[in-house]
Amino acid sequence: MATDIKDTVHAVEAAAVMGLLATRPRVLALGEPTHGEDALLDVRNELFRQLVEEEGYRTIAIESDCLAGLRVDAYVTSAADSLDEVMERGFSHGFGDSAANRELVRWMRAYNEGRPAPEQLRFAGIDGPLEMTGAESPREALTSLHAHLARHVDTDLLPCTARTLDRLLGADDRWTEPAAMTDPARSTGRSAEAGELRLLADDLAALLDAQTPHLITATSREEWERARLYARTATGLLRYHHWMADTSPGRMARLVGLRDLMMADNLLALAERGPTLVHAHNSHLQRDRSSMRMGGLPLEWWSAGSIASARLGEGYAFFATALGTIRHRGVDAPQPGTLEGLLYALPDDLCVVDSPRLGAALGDTLAAPRASAWFGYFPFEPAHLTATDGLVFIKDIPQGRAAST
């Protein structure tokens, strides 16, 4: 058995990763089992560099606010903002504090310098303007969509004025009320104004689609794609706020599913642009149904990856990441008999495993799931091996490092 397992192990290199796939995917997904560990992002950064230099990849996307990510993309392609400002305002979930993310942004800007636009690297966030504690106001997405259409479409075709949107949106703190995540009564998502805004957002998105030939000619495909991002985000946020005000037992499951649907829509749009490496939590990228407990309740939903995989077929590939220890988080050496325990016994500190072959090698003796000593770490589910194209294994996660200047 040990020999069979060793035969499934390869170096974490672009050539080895692509060698495990039948075709080059339009979306190559690399998951992580926890957030906030730069060692995981260092592996991501190096793989992206190799994919750029050896496989022609030009876009990286991460689990961060899609609208904030526009600032990062502008910076790496030529904008004059300072790196400090971009790291502060271009990321959500605290990811701007990461030294590895800072290094990625700096490297992308340096790579792009002097290169023509078609050869430049691009950055994208796939998450909505959402946090675990709530959601942003739809103002930025909705008013940006309206402004784009107002500049290029006959006024008579617009369903409303900018002043009407401003009146209906009201104060942003109505939308960002933190208590709304746990108390539906505190949400403004089912107010009369929110209902009217949902209809107007739908009409604006439909107008954008209907005017596609004109808009691409009058502006550019890139500006049209950005307007589509505003449209997806506006309608998605308003839908999310609507269900934040729901009182049914399925409320939280619906919310986590809607979040991943927004991610999937952003992923599919990036796939149209060209080959993309996306990095997010395993639970957002896996093909199997995702699950977790929140507030003591078990939740299940279809992830962004499962939706993208269903739509793209072989155009979507998923490599999960598993790990041995995060000792500074109380995650010590994995138990014998678990998948992580089997891999931890190998001599490799870092490797990528052929998941289908490993699953076949284990056969009826499929390893038991690992128990997590820390709530922030999600062990890999061995039953998911056959639905995973590869498994990146990192033996030991060192304590984080400070950002370099």
Side-chain angles (χ1 to χ4, degrees):
M1 180 65 68
T3 301
D4 290 338
I5 292 176
K6 290 179 181 177
D7 288 344
T8 69
V9 172
H10 308 273
V12 182
E13 297 173 347
V17 167
M18 302 306 284
L20 295 177
L21 305 173
T23 185
R24 187 174 81 158
R26 291 154 66 186
V27 174
L28 176 57
L30 176 63
E32 63 176 2
T34 186
H35 289 320
E37 299 296 337
D38 271 356
L40 297 169
L41 305 191
D42 289 338
V43 173
R44 175 205 67 189
N45 290 354
E46 178 57 29
L47 180 60
F48 181 56
R49 280 192 285 267
Q50 293 181 21
L51 289 168
V52 167
E53 294 166 359
E54 301 171 20
E55 300 291 338
Y57 275 63
R58 288 291 176 267
T59 300
I60 187 168
I62 73 167
E63 183 189 335
S64 186
D65 181 342
C66 57
L67 298 187
L70 294 172
R71 298 183 180 94
V72 184
D73 187 56
Y75 177 79
V76 301
T77 55
S78 70
D81 292 341
S82 71
L83 179 58
D84 286 343
E85 182 178 6
V86 168
M87 298 309 298
E88 180 181 351
R89 301 180 61 226
F91 293 84
S92 58
H93 313 325
F95 293 159
D97 296 332
S98 159
N101 279 334
R102 188 182 188 91
E103 289 162 9
L104 172 69
V105 173
R106 183 192 293 111
W107 178 79
M108 291 177 69
R109 183 178 171 97
Y111 181 94
N112 284 341
E113 191 170 348
R115 296 180 188 268
E119 297 178 15
Q120 290 190 339
L121 306 182
R122 306 298 298 271
F123 179 95
I126 61 163
D127 207 350
L130 308 170
E131 295 283 355
M132 289 297 292
T133 54
E136 290 294 322
S137 164
R139 177 181 301 278
E140 181 181 358
L142 200 50
T143 57
S144 296
L145 172 61
H146 185 277
H148 179 80
L149 289 168
R151 286 193 298 269
H152 305 291
V153 172
D154 290 344
T155 303
D156 291 345
L157 296 177
L158 295 171
C160 65
T161 64
R163 181 172 295 181
T164 296
L165 286 182
D166 188 61
R167 174 179 59 80
L168 293 171
L169 285 163
D172 285 346
D173 57 11
R174 295 174 54 203
W175 302 92
T176 58
E177 167 59 60
M181 181 52 74
T182 53
D183 182 1
R186 300 292 295 273
S187 171
T188 192
R190 296 198 177 182
S191 63
E193 294 86 353
E196 191 170 347
L197 284 169
R198 285 191 78 188
L199 293 174
L200 290 173
D202 183 69
D203 282 339
L204 289 167
L207 180 60
L208 177 70
D209 287 342
Q211 294 289 317
T212 293
H214 164 65
L215 290 171
I216 292 178
T217 302
T219 59
S220 67
R221 178 168 291 273
E222 182 160 339
E223 287 192 48
W224 172 74
E225 288 178 350
R226 178 176 293 204
R228 289 178 69 204
L229 172 62
Y230 291 137
R232 291 193 302 274
T233 306
T235 55
L237 267 177
L238 285 163
R239 186 183 300 117
Y240 192 90
H241 278 288
H242 176 85
W243 287 102
M244 281 184 73
D246 181 45
T247 57
S248 75
R251 174 180 182 265
M252 289 307 302
R254 188 183 292 273
L255 289 176
V256 294
L258 288 175
R259 179 188 176 195
D260 270 74
L261 178 60
M262 292 179 73
M263 290 188 191
D265 287 341
N266 287 330
L267 265 184
L268 292 167
L270 291 170
E272 295 177 14
R273 178 190 294 177
T276 297
L277 174 68
V278 59
H279 187 256
H281 199 280
N282 287 333
S283 62
H284 292 307
L285 298 177
Q286 65 190 36
R287 291 187 176 93
D288 291 280
R289 196 163 171 82
S290 297
S291 63
M292 67 180 295
R293 297 188 72 86
M294 183 177 289
L297 298 175
L299 304 178
E300 290 191 345
W301 73 99
W302 290 107
S303 74
S306 64
I307 297 168
S309 180
R311 294 277 297 274
L312 296 175
E314 287 189 344
Y316 181 84
F318 171 52
F319 285 71
T321 296
L323 52 85
T325 70
I326 324 175
R327 297 189 191 279
H328 55 282
R329 300 289 190 185
V331 180
D332 293 322
Q335 306 91 334
T338 63
L339 180 65
E340 288 88 348
L342 291 172
L343 296 174
Y344 197 75
L346 296 174
D348 307 85
D349 292 329
L350 173 65
C351 61
V352 62
V353 181
D354 184 333
S355 300
R357 285 191 64 198
L358 177 59
L362 293 174
D364 295 335
T365 64
L366 196 65
R370 182 185 189 184
S372 174
W374 175 49
F375 73 93
Y377 159 59
F378 288 61
F380 183 77
E381 171 55 62
H384 293 174
L385 275 173
T386 56
T388 304
D389 296 294
L391 183 65
V392 174
F393 182 73
I394 304 175
K395 201 164 197 174
D396 299 293
I397 302 294
Q399 192 147 6
R401 54 196 171 84
S404 56
T405 56

